[in-house]
Amino acid sequence: MTKENFYFTTPIFYPNDNLHLGHTYSTIAVDTLKKFKEFQGHDVFFTTGTDEHGEKLEEAAHERGFQNPLDFIDPIVEDSKKLWELLEIDYDSFIRSTSDQHEKNVQEIFTQLYDKGDIYKGSYEGYYCTPCESFWTEPQLTEEGNCPDCNRPVELKSEETYFFKLSEYEDKLKDLYADHPEFLKPDSRRHEMLNNFLDKGLDDLSVTRSSFDWGVPVPFDEDHVVYVWIDALSCYLTAVGYGHDEELFDKFWSDNVVHFVGKEIVRFHTIIWPALLMALDIPVPKQVFGHGWILFDNEKMSKSIGNTYYPEPIIEAYGVDALKYHLLREFTFGHDGNFTRESFLTRVNSDLANDLGNLLSRTVSMIDQYNDSVIEAGAINGEYDEDLKNIATAAMDKVEAEMEEYQFSRALEEIWKVVRRTNRYVDETEPWIVSKEEGTRIDEILYNLAESLRIISVMLTPFLPHTAKEIRAQLGLKGEAKIEDAKVWGLIEPGTKVQKGEIIFPRLDVKEEAEKMVERNNTLVEERMASNTKVDEHVKLEITIDDFAKLELRVAKITKCEDHPNADRLYVLEIDLGYTTKTIVSGLKGHYTIDELVDRKVIVVNNLAPHNFRGVESNGMILAAQAGEKLTLATVAEDIEVGAIVG
Ligand code: MSP
């Protein structure tokens, strides 16, 4: 095999909150792919990082009481790095879009495009979706007038802006799609981009913003900052040396550049990004792969929905390999899949504890018991040996073929076919009977079992490095696993001594562990909510009278109060505003009993956007004063009818 250079990237994540299980998905996949390609002998450069500019980040920081967005972002970036460390993610570059080097290179890129005439100044009126950081025209909106990507409300904005001449690249992009069908995978996403965007025609793209300043300043017009997506996409270049390390850049920005991204951001990577690269005379990537989402209760895992699931407690309780195995095996890369605690725990039990763990422990135990811990040379062949050898030595080629298509799940399934075949071999050959009756036939059976496990350990090396190492240690194997060793039979030196070790995956009580998983996650969600919010500030950011006028405070009466079904510290309340009733979720529990609240008049923020608290939508906020542990409701001194405006 000829050695090649590969460049793989994950998306550059928004650090507007801690990364959750959904975010770890592409990072685990890309990391495994890197380890796999390196195992095959290739050279790989792997970039991940954080996309730190833009209105969304600025708003998130301000909402949590931070004047300078970096004060809010820095600890989240640190947590992300810690998470990658915990998951043993072997990235080569962690790019922060706020780094000086990156900002300088983005300015150079922007100036180059402007000097070439690909960027021009104009003015823009359109609909902006802040969560997606995307502009839309009216016909592109949904029937309800929402963002076509995320279905959230958009804002009409009109600004002086610079445009990128995206429309001029329409034909070239169509050629790219026609000449290189492999450019966008899976195929369904290519059809989607062609039908929904390219075939409908492309408009020029607004590439600067002037209504806020949390971004890279346009070097020749400081009223503008570079559009966050241009800034973020450029990370893929600057992380691998573009504009500052030519040798590195030339080595890896070559024939094998592949971006792995979630399906909702495919459009940016397969329309805007290749057009920008064409304008910069930089070769377009070989491929963009749009993977699916991890769903939780069949909804996309996301902070705004309130179903965040963090990976750290799972890794701490069950190990990196268990989480990696589940994510790569359970979900087909490219499709959505539902994460449930029960399916995770069940899979750990069935595939890791039962199939693999048992095979290892019974093999080592039998070698211990029947052959004094020594793997002896086999002498007498038997009925099932050939089949086992053939299946085991043929598997690595199949795994390699699946990995060419990024089919992690099917690659693991090929390995498990060997695991299951080997377990069957134990049942077929019944060593416990043979040991008594057939003399040295037992040596052959035990040798074959050890050999098969050796091949399994080689194949597992890039996927589950800890498990692979543990299997090798228990088999008494020396040296590093090499990929070619999985394709040949008979490499264990007779006389090798096995070392019985711990059970590699203890069986889990699904019900009990599922409950613990909920508890551990809830605790972390609450901890993070508190630590990402600045509470020691005496005065929050200054607001104008117009900002204040946006608030609608009203007197309301609490008519009903119940415990929140999924959160220990929350109540779900119904309030009467005179003209309507509403449901509000509030943290008054622990401070007021239900009886103390019902029939009480309170002040509510009436026009707060709905927010989902663990599955219950809240439509406002009840005001209260808090000092340390003490909390008291804000209310009105005189009796006044419900619905009255406060202000
Ligand atoms: N900052 C942009 C990407 C810029 S790349 C030049 C961004 N950031 S993000 O943090 O919102 O999302 C990063 C990635 O995480 C996306 O690919 C997104 O699809 C992925 N995921 C977020 N939630 C996810 C799941 N629940 N499941 C799988 N991936 C998901 O977009």
Side-chain angles (χ1 to χ4, degrees):
M1 170 178 301
T2 42
K3 183 173 165 174
E4 291 179 64
N5 297 329
F6 288 83
Y7 180 38
F8 297 141
T9 65
T10 67
I12 309 299
F13 299 95
Y14 289 128
N16 57 342
D17 204 350
N18 284 87
L19 300 180
H20 57 61
L21 206 54
H23 296 119
T24 61
Y25 183 49
S26 51
T27 313
I28 287 177
V30 176
D31 180 62
T32 304
L33 187 64
K34 173 186 174 173
K35 291 184 164 98
F36 194 84
K37 287 282 172 202
E38 287 183 339
F39 201 47
Q40 289 178 312
H42 301 296
D43 227 346
V44 182
F45 194 91
F46 168 15
T47 286
T48 189
T50 38
D51 179 1
E52 303 184 10
H53 288 127
E55 198 172 2
K56 175 155 98 175
L57 254 305
E58 189 178 58
E59 274 180 6
H62 288 177
E63 268 168 24
R64 310 282 185 100
F66 293 89
Q67 183 95 40
N68 176 356
L70 275 184
D71 291 338
F72 165 67
I73 291 169
D74 282 343
I76 297 179
V77 173
E78 277 320 300
D79 280 354
S80 310
K81 286 187 173 169
K82 274 191 216 145
L83 172 62
W84 298 151
E85 212 174 293
L86 205 58
L87 278 166
E88 293 153 14
I89 301 296
D90 188 17
Y91 56 77
D92 298 281
S93 176
F94 186 102
I95 180 95
R96 293 188 62 171
S97 64
T98 49
S99 68
D100 292 346
Q101 182 67 60
H102 173 76
E103 290 194 357
K104 178 173 168 283
N105 291 144
V106 168
Q107 289 189 323
E108 286 161 3
I109 288 170
F110 202 87
T111 307
Q112 194 182 330
L113 292 170
Y114 183 69
D115 290 346
K116 260 190 77 185
D118 274 307
I119 282 180
Y120 64 93
K121 196 170 187 177
S123 70
Y124 183 85
E125 186 175 272
Y127 295 86
Y128 198 70
C129 172
T130 307
C132 293
E133 301 277 20
S134 285
F135 288 107
W136 302 103
T137 57
E138 195 162 359
Q140 289 174 313
L141 301 179
T142 63
E143 274 176 22
E144 301 77 39
N146 289 342
C147 167
D149 263 0
C150 71
N151 203 24
R152 280 180 276 210
V154 289
E155 261 181 89
L156 184 61
K157 299 226 170 178
S158 115
E159 280 179 30
E160 183 189 66
T161 186
Y162 287 84
F163 285 96
F164 170 64
K165 287 184 181 166
L166 184 61
S167 58
E168 289 200 354
Y169 289 88
E170 190 177 307
D171 290 340
K172 283 191 183 164
L173 288 171
K174 284 183 176 160
D175 291 346
L176 170 70
Y177 277 60
D179 299 343
H180 296 280
E182 75 286 0
F183 170 68
L184 174 51
K185 286 279 173 180
D187 290 336
S188 54
R189 310 233 187 274
R190 190 173 68 253
H191 301 313
E192 199 183 314
M193 287 302 120
L194 280 165
N195 295 342
N196 295 355
F197 298 102
L198 278 173
D199 290 346
K200 285 190 179 157
L202 298 177
D203 295 322
D204 288 351
L205 177 75
S206 164
V207 285
T208 63
R209 303 289 312 276
S210 56
S211 55
F212 65 95
D213 57 11
W214 182 238
V216 178
V218 171
F220 45 86
D221 189 343
E222 299 254 329
D223 289 343
H224 292 256
V225 292
V226 175
Y227 175 41
V228 64
W229 269 98
I230 306 284
D231 178 359
L233 289 160
S234 304
C235 286
Y236 296 143
L237 295 175
T238 60
V240 68
Y242 181 78
H244 58 99
D245 185 345
E246 223 172 289
E247 200 184 321
L248 181 70
F249 185 69
D250 290 346
K251 177 169 176 192
F252 288 104
W253 196 276
S254 57
D255 299 337
N256 294 313
V257 176
V258 187
H259 301 306
F260 293 89
V261 302
K263 62 181 184 180
E264 85 283 19
I265 57 171
V266 162
R267 181 174 65 92
F268 299 95
H269 286 80
T270 56
I271 292 181
I272 299 174
W273 185 224
L276 276 173
L277 290 168
M278 287 170 186
L280 290 164
D281 288 325
I282 298 174
V284 300
K286 175 168 98 181
Q287 198 164 73
V288 174
F289 191 97
H291 64 73
W293 286 337
I294 297 199
L295 309 176
F296 201 75
D297 293 336
N298 289 312
E299 289 205 70
K300 186 182 176 212
M301 191 175 292
S302 103
K303 201 193 115 218
S304 52
I305 299 175
N307 62 356
T308 311
Y309 218 93
Y310 289 127
E312 289 91 339
I314 306 183
I315 303 166
E316 275 149 25
Y318 312 106
V320 191
D321 281 9
L323 179 63
K324 274 199 201 173
Y325 179 75
H326 181 71
L327 292 183
L328 295 174
R329 177 69 184 90
E330 180 85 1
F331 306 106
T332 304
F333 206 53
H335 296 262
D336 291 352
N338 202 34
F339 178 88
T340 70
R341 291 171 281 270
E342 286 74 16
S343 61
F344 164 72
L345 296 163
T346 308
R347 197 174 267 290
V348 170
N349 274 347
S350 66
D351 297 12
L352 298 175
N354 278 1
D355 291 349
L356 183 64
N358 257 349
L359 176 63
L360 177 68
S361 78
R362 62 182 177 163
T363 300
V364 175
S365 296
M366 286 191 291
I367 296 173
D368 240 5
Q369 196 183 337
Y370 303 135
N371 276 0
D372 272 344
S373 306
V374 176
I375 306 175
E376 303 283 6
I380 301 175
N381 286 341
E383 192 184 345
Y384 305 101
D385 300 7
E386 271 321 289
D387 190 45
L388 178 70
K389 287 179 198 176
N390 291 340
I391 286 179
T393 50
M396 190 72 225
D397 284 340
K398 294 183 188 158
V399 173
E400 286 187 278
E402 295 298 354
M403 288 299 282
E404 276 302 298
E405 309 290 324
Y406 320 123
Q407 288 304 326
F408 301 91
S409 179
R410 292 215 295 258
L412 287 167
E413 173 56 18
E414 289 301 334
I415 302 176
W416 254 257
K417 280 185 191 161
V418 183
V419 174
R420 288 194 296 263
R421 178 68 194 89
T422 316
N423 271 322
R424 221 170 52 240
Y425 180 80
V426 181
D427 301 336
E428 288 162 346
T429 54
E430 298 180 298
W432 46 91
I433 295 174
V434 171
S435 71
K436 292 181 204 121
E437 292 173 0
E438 287 177 45
T440 55
R441 169 68 181 143
I442 186 74
D443 294 345
E444 180 76 36
I445 296 172
L446 295 179
Y447 185 87
N448 289 344
L449 286 176
E451 250 314 272
S452 194
L453 266 168
R454 179 192 63 77
I455 289 180
I456 291 165
S457 79
V458 176
M459 293 194 289
L460 282 180
T461 298
F463 297 94
L464 311 179
H466 290 285
T467 309
K469 264 202 187 126
E470 185 56 29
I471 297 175
R472 296 176 72 78
Q474 295 207 21
L475 288 177
L477 303 177
K478 304 271 176 296
E480 293 286 300
K482 291 200 218 61
I483 194 163
E484 317 83 66
D485 295 351
K487 302 178 185 178
V488 273
W489 191 263
L491 294 186
I492 296 185
E493 286 287 328
T496 301
K497 264 197 116 170
V498 298
Q499 312 259 331
K500 200 160 170 42
E502 301 273 299
I503 299 279
I504 52 173
F505 291 99
R507 268 192 73 82
L508 304 166
D509 180 322
V510 174
K511 195 166 167 280
E512 204 175 282
E513 292 299 322
E515 281 166 15
K516 284 193 199 154
M517 284 175 81
V518 176
E519 263 170 47
R520 293 186 198 115
N521 192 59
N522 285 351
T523 310
L524 188 59
V525 169
E526 277 167 25
E527 260 173 45
R528 285 186 162 162
M529 206 115 84
S531 74
N532 291 344
T533 307
K534 198 169 183 183
V535 284
D536 57 352
E537 190 93 312
H538 289 302
V539 183
K540 284 216 174 172
L541 294 181
E542 198 170 75
I543 59 167
T544 64
I545 196 149
D546 292 341
D547 290 332
F548 183 74
K550 287 184 192 161
L551 268 184
E552 188 184 304
L553 304 175
R554 279 184 192 260
V555 175
K557 186 167 167 185
I558 299 174
T559 51
K560 206 168 145 194
C561 175
E562 286 172 351
D563 291 334
H564 190 295
N566 310 316
D568 296 344
R569 301 189 193 170
L570 301 178
Y571 281 139
V572 180
L573 304 119
E574 216 162 86
I575 55 155
D576 178 11
L577 283 149
Y579 74 98
T580 189
T581 58
K582 281 184 169 187
T583 302
I584 290 185
V585 176
S586 166
L588 294 170
K589 203 165 166 182
H591 302 283
Y592 288 90
T593 63
I594 291 180
D595 286 348
E596 283 169 338
L597 288 171
V598 175
D599 285 342
R600 195 158 186 149
K601 278 192 184 158
V602 287
I603 300 175
V604 297
V605 183
N606 193 31
N607 58 342
L608 195 67
H611 187 85
N612 194 306
F613 288 94
R614 303 243 177 90
V616 181
E617 190 178 271
S618 178
N619 295 285
M621 182 195 283
I622 298 179
L623 295 187
Q626 184 157 24
E629 289 295 293
K630 203 167 154 201
L631 182 140
T632 180
L633 282 167
T635 186
V636 274
E638 304 292 329
D639 194 29
I640 186 159
E641 61 266 32
V642 292
I645 292 279
V646 181

